[in-house]
C-alpha cells in the first residue's frame, strides 16, 4: 500500500526528512527541488510506514487506498515521475542541520515580513539557543499569502498555518504587527535595535500588460482580485463587475486557475470556506458563466502545474475546455499535454458554467467608454530562438471577446525596500546567499523572485540564516545600541491570538473554518479582547 503525494503538496521537504527509506524526491540538494511541480513517492520502495503523513503540514500524503476519486490520478502521477527520474542513487542528500555553536551572548534579529519566508527564517534562527527574533509586518495579521493568497477552496493547503502557529510559540519569538517599516520605523531604527535584519517582504504588486485600455474600470489585477476574495484589508472593500457573463483572465499560471475556479464555483460550497463575506455576496449575485484563460504560448508552455490541472479537471458541474491546440503537438509529449488532450476530448454539457483554456492568443487592446466592454486578442505563432527559448509572436489574425471583466495574471512583482539596493529587471534585492551586506539579509520572493511553493521558502530561509550566522560567528555584526528599540502601536503575539480566536469562533457558529475580519479597525478591536477564562 504505497503512500501518494496529492495536490496540496507544499514542497517543504518535511516528508523527505521523515522517510526512513529515502523514497520521496526530488529532495533538497537534488536537481528539480524547488522547480518541480511537487514531491513524489516512489511506489516501488515505499514501505508503508506512514512517517511522511505525520510530518506533512498540509495532509498531502495519503495511502493509495484512501484516495478520493478526484485524487486517483495522483497515483499514476507519482509513479510516472520515477520512470523518467529513477533516482538510482538512494544516498540521502539532505540532512537535518546541526545546531551551530554561536559566540556567547544573545543574538537579536528583526524579520520584516510575517509570511512563509519570514516565519521559516524565524524558525531557522530559533533552532539555536540565545537567539531572539522579532517578526514585523505592516498588517495586523501574519502568514502573508498563506492567509490572503491561497484560494479559499484549498483549505488543505492552508493547514500549513498550523506549522506557523508552532513556530510562533517558540521561546524567543515575538510579533510586532500593524507596523510599517519605512513609515512607523526606518531601516536604520531596526539596525540600531538588532544585530541583523532579514527582509522577507514578498512581491506585493503585479506585472502589467502594457496595452491600450488597461486602466479602464473592469480591468483588474488578479493580485488585487485574489486579495479581495480572501479578505485582505487593503482590498476587502473593493467592488468588481461580476454582472458580465464572460470574464477573461490573461495568463495561465496557478493563480489564474484559482481565479477561474472561484468565479465558476457554487457559492454554497464557497460559503463553507473562509472566503470574504463581501466577495461571497458578490459572487452569489454575479452572472459569470464563462471564464476564458488566455495563454500567449502553447499547451506545452502553460505555467500552471500538473497537480492544479488535475484538480481543475476533477471539478463537478463545471466544463473545462481547451482551445488553440497546435497541429504539430503530440498529446502525450508530457504529463501536462496528456491531461490537456483528455480535457480537449471531453463533450461539453449544455447549461454548465465553463472554464476555457485558450492557448496561442495574445491580448491586443481593451475597449469601452467608461468601463471594459471587450478585449481584442491576436492569434500567435510559436518561434524558437537559438538558445531554445520559445516565443509567442502575434499575427494579424484578431478576434474580439465581449467581456466586462479582464484580470491580468502574468506574475507578481516586488517593490523596492527603502534603504536596500534593488534590481529593476528582476525586481529583487541583489545578494549573495541571502546576504546584502553584513547585518542586512533577504529571504523569499524579494530574494529570488516569485518562484517556487510555500515550502521552497524553507530551504531559501536556511541559506539566508546560514549567511547571517556566519557573519555573527565572524564578528561582522554590529552590537545593538542599548535603549534604542523604538516604541510603536504594534500588536503582539497575544493580540494576534485574540484575533485568531475571534475569527475561529465566528466561523464555528457558521460551520466554517473562520470568518475573517477584513478591516484594520475590526482587527484591532478583536486584538484587544481578553482571552476567555478557563473553566473548572
Amino acid at each position: 500500500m504505497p503512500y501518494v503525494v496529492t495536490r496540496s503538496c507544499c514542497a517543504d521537504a518535511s516528508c523527505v526528512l521523515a522517510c526512513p527509506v529515502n523514497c520521496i524526491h526530488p529532495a533538497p540538494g537534488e536537481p528539480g527541488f524547488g522547480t518541480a511541480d511537487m514531491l513524489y513517492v516512489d511506489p516501488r520502495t515505499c514501505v508503508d510506514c506512514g512517517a511522511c503523513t505525520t510530518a506533512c503540514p498540509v495532509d498531502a500524503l495519503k495511502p493509495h487506498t484512501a484516495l478520493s476519486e478526484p485524487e486517483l490520478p495522483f497515483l499514476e502521477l507519482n509513479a510516472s515521475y520515477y520512470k523518467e527520474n529513477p533516482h538510482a542513487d538512494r544516498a540521502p542528500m539532505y540532512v537535518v542541520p546541526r545546531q551551530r555553536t554561536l559566540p556567547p551572548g544573545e543574538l537579536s534579529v528583526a524579520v520584516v515580513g510575517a509570511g512563509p519566508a519570514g516565519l521559516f527564517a524565524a524558525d531557522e534562527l530559533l533552532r539555536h539557543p540565545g537567539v531572539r527574533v522579532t517578526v514585523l509586518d505592516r498588517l495586523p495579521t501574519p502568514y502573508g499569502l498563506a492567509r490572503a493568497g491561497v484560494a479559499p477552496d484549498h483549505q488543505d493547503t492552508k493547514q500549513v498555518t498550523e506549522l506557523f502557529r508552532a513556530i510562533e510559540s517558540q521561546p524567543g519569538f515575538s510579533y510586532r504587527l500593524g507596523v510599517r517599516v519605512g513609515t512607523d520605523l526606518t531601516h536604520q531604527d531596526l539596525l540600531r535595535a538588532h544585530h541583523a535584519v532579514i527582509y522577507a517582504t514578498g512581491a506585493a504588486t503585479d506585472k502589467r500588460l502594457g496595452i491600450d485600455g488597461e486602466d479602464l474600470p473592469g480591468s483588474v489585477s488578479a493580485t488585487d482580485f485574489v486579495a479581495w476574495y480572501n479578505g485582505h484589508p487593503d482590498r476587502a472593500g473593493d467592488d468588481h463587475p461580476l454582472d458580465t457573463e464572460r470574464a477573461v483572465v490573461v495568463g495561465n499560471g496557478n493563480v489564474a486557475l484559482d481565479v477561474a475556479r472561484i468565479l465558476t464555483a457554487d457559492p454554497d460550497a464557497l460559503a463553507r470556506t473562509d472566503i470574504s463575506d463581501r466577495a461571497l455576496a458578490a459572487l452569489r449575485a454575479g452572472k459569470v458563466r464563462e471564464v476564458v484563460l488566455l495563454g500567449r504560448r502553447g499547451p506545452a508552455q502553460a505555467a500552471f502545474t500538473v497537480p492544479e490541472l488535475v484538480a481543475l479537471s476533477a471539478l463537478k458541474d463545471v466544463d473545462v475546455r481547451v482551445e488553440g491546440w497546435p497541429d504539430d503537438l503530440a498529446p502525450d509529449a508530457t504529463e501536462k499535454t496528456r491531461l490537456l488532450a483528455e480535457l480537449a476530448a471531453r463533450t461539453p454539457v449544455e447549461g454548465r458554467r465553463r472554464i476555457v483554456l485558450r492557448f496561442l492568443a495574445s491580448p491586443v487592446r481593451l475597449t469601452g467608454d467608461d468601463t471594459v466592454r471587450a478585449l481584442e486578442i491576436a492569434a500567435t505563432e510559436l518561434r524558437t530562438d537559438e538558445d531554445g527559448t520559445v516565443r509567442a509572436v502575434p499575427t494579424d489574425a484578431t478576434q474580439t471577446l465581449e467581456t466586462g471583466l479582464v484580470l491580468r495574471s502574468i506574475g507578481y512583482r516586488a517593490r523596492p525596500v527603502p534603504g536596500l539596493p534593488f534590481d529593476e529587471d528582476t525586481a529583487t534585492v541583489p545578494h549573495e546567499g541571502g546576504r546584502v551586506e553584513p547585518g542586512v539579509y533577504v529571504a523569499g520572493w524579494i530574494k529570488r523572485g516569485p518562484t517556487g511553493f510555500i515550502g521552497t521558502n524553507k530551504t531559501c530561509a536556511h541559506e539566508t540564516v546560514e549567511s547571517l550566522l556566519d557573519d555573527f560567528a565572524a564578528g561582522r555584526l554590529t552590537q545593538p545600541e542599548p535603549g534604542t528599540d523604538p516604541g510603536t502601536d504594534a500588536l503582539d503575539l497575544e493580540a494576534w491570538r485574540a484575533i485568531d480566536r475571534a475569527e475561529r469562533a465566528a466561523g464555528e457558529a457558521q460551520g466554517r473554518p473562520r470568518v475573517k475580519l477584513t478591516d484594520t479597525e475590526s482587527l484591532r478591536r478583536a486584538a484587544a479582547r481578553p482571552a476567555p477564562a478557563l473553566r473548572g
Side-chain angles (χ1 to χ4, degrees):
M1 186 180 68
Y3 279 75
V4 179
V5 181
T6 59
R7 182 205 54 78
S8 60
C9 176
C10 70
D12 83 330
S14 296
C15 57
V16 174
L17 298 178
C19 178
V21 293
N22 194 27
C23 75
I24 304 176
H25 299 271
E30 293 179 340
F33 181 78
T35 58
D37 288 351
M38 54 188 278
L39 305 185
Y40 305 87
V41 172
D42 186 348
R44 300 168 303 174
T45 53
C46 175
V47 294
D48 312 331
C49 68
C52 55
T53 63
T54 303
C56 179
V58 292
D59 287 348
L61 284 132
K62 301 179 180 180
H64 82 272
T65 53
L67 297 175
S68 64
E69 183 179 349
E71 292 171 332
L72 288 176
F74 287 99
L75 182 60
E76 174 57 28
L77 191 62
N78 277 247
S80 63
Y81 169 81
Y82 289 92
K83 295 175 184 177
E84 298 182 5
N85 306 275
H87 288 282
D89 181 5
R90 291 285 170 177
M93 299 183 69
Y94 183 63
V95 296
V96 179
R98 290 182 297 176
Q99 189 178 85
R100 294 175 55 144
T101 301
L102 301 180
E106 185 178 72
L107 170 62
S108 172
V109 180
V111 176
V112 182
L119 290 171
F120 280 129
D123 187 40
E124 291 289 334
L125 286 162
L126 293 171
R127 296 175 187 274
H128 307 282
V131 178
R132 180 168 55 87
V133 179
T134 302
V135 177
L136 303 95
D137 201 282
R138 68 181 186 86
L139 294 177
T141 56
Y143 305 164
L145 288 180
R147 175 180 168 95
V150 175
D153 62 341
H154 280 358
Q155 290 296 310
D156 47 4
T157 303
K158 293 195 176 192
Q159 290 183 66
V160 73
T161 59
E162 294 303 311
L163 173 60
F164 298 154
R165 288 169 63 86
I167 292 172
E168 67 192 17
S169 299
Q170 296 179 76
F173 183 99
S174 63
Y175 273 136
R176 298 183 74 173
L177 303 173
V179 175
R180 293 179 178 269
V181 175
T183 303
D184 302 320
L185 296 174
T186 68
H187 175 60
Q188 292 302 320
D189 288 334
L190 294 175
L191 287 176
R192 282 192 293 268
H194 304 275
H195 290 89
V197 183
I198 298 176
Y199 285 90
T201 49
T205 61
D206 63 294
K207 297 177 182 177
R208 292 179 59 82
L209 298 173
I211 61 175
D212 290 342
E214 186 172 7
D215 293 321
L216 280 170
S219 172
V220 183
S221 152
T223 303
D224 291 347
F225 193 77
V226 169
W228 169 69
Y229 64 60
N230 272 317
H232 191 294
D234 289 352
R235 305 257 59 107
D238 289 355
D239 289 308
H240 295 289
L242 303 185
D243 56 347
T244 178
E245 289 197 359
R246 175 189 289 135
V248 180
V249 182
V250 181
N252 57 18
N254 286 350
V255 172
L257 295 193
D258 286 348
V259 169
R261 286 197 324 276
I262 297 303
L263 282 170
T264 56
D266 178 0
D268 288 340
L270 291 177
R272 297 190 290 272
T273 74
D274 62 349
I275 191 171
S276 154
D277 286 345
R278 184 184 182 92
L280 180 61
L283 290 164
R284 284 192 186 280
K287 299 179 181 178
V288 176
R289 302 293 302 174
E290 177 183 84
V291 181
V292 180
L293 277 67
L294 296 182
R296 291 182 172 92
R297 299 188 294 170
Q301 294 82 35
F304 50 70
T305 61
V306 170
E308 289 299 333
L309 181 59
V310 170
L312 189 74
S313 67
L315 291 178
K316 303 295 184 183
D317 302 323
V318 176
D319 273 336
V320 182
R321 298 170 55 188
V322 178
E323 297 179 356
W325 189 277
D327 294 336
D328 59 349
L329 180 67
D332 59 350
T334 66
E335 190 70 25
K336 185 177 293 182
T337 54
R338 184 187 66 78
L339 289 168
L340 286 169
E342 291 178 0
L343 286 172
R346 288 184 180 179
T347 302
V349 178
E350 189 68 27
R352 282 185 176 179
R353 294 185 180 187
R354 59 185 174 270
I355 296 172
V356 180
L357 303 176
R358 182 160 184 174
F359 299 98
L360 299 174
S362 180
V364 175
R365 66 178 57 85
L366 291 161
T367 58
D369 296 327
D370 55 349
T371 188
V372 169
R373 301 297 181 189
L375 171 65
E376 183 180 340
I377 63 175
T380 62
E381 294 179 347
L382 297 182
R383 297 179 185 174
T384 305
D385 295 337
E386 291 182 0
D387 63 358
T389 301
V390 177
R391 293 188 299 113
V393 181
T395 67
D396 293 333
T398 62
Q399 179 186 356
T400 298
L401 296 177
E402 293 185 1
T403 179
L405 177 62
V406 175
L407 298 120
R408 61 183 181 273
S409 182
I410 56 175
Y412 290 95
R413 181 178 172 84
R415 296 190 182 104
V417 177
L420 272 63
F422 191 73
D423 185 326
E424 288 289 347
D425 291 336
T426 62
T428 59
V429 172
H431 67 92
E432 291 186 8
R435 179 192 295 106
V436 181
E437 61 182 41
V440 182
Y441 308 85
V442 286
W445 283 359
I446 191 65
K447 170 186 173 183
R448 67 180 192 274
T451 60
F453 309 96
I454 290 175
T456 310
N457 292 294
K458 190 171 184 178
T459 49
C460 174
H462 174 72
E463 178 189 55
T464 295
V465 169
E466 284 295 296
S467 295
L468 187 158
L469 295 179
D470 285 345
D471 289 343
F472 183 54
R476 290 190 286 262
L477 303 184
T478 303
Q479 288 291 325
E481 298 178 17
T484 56
D485 189 17
T488 60
D489 185 22
L491 302 180
D492 59 12
L493 175 58
E494 289 308 313
W496 155 236
R497 285 178 171 165
I499 293 171
D500 187 46
R501 285 193 300 270
E503 291 185 339
R504 288 174 183 258
E508 185 177 2
Q510 299 182 26
R512 303 169 63 182
R514 67 175 65 238
V515 175
K516 286 180 180 174
L517 299 170
T518 59
D519 64 277
T520 300
E521 183 178 344
S522 297
L523 287 162
R524 285 193 172 271
R525 281 200 303 268
R529 296 174 190 166
L534 296 176
R535 295 182 179 180

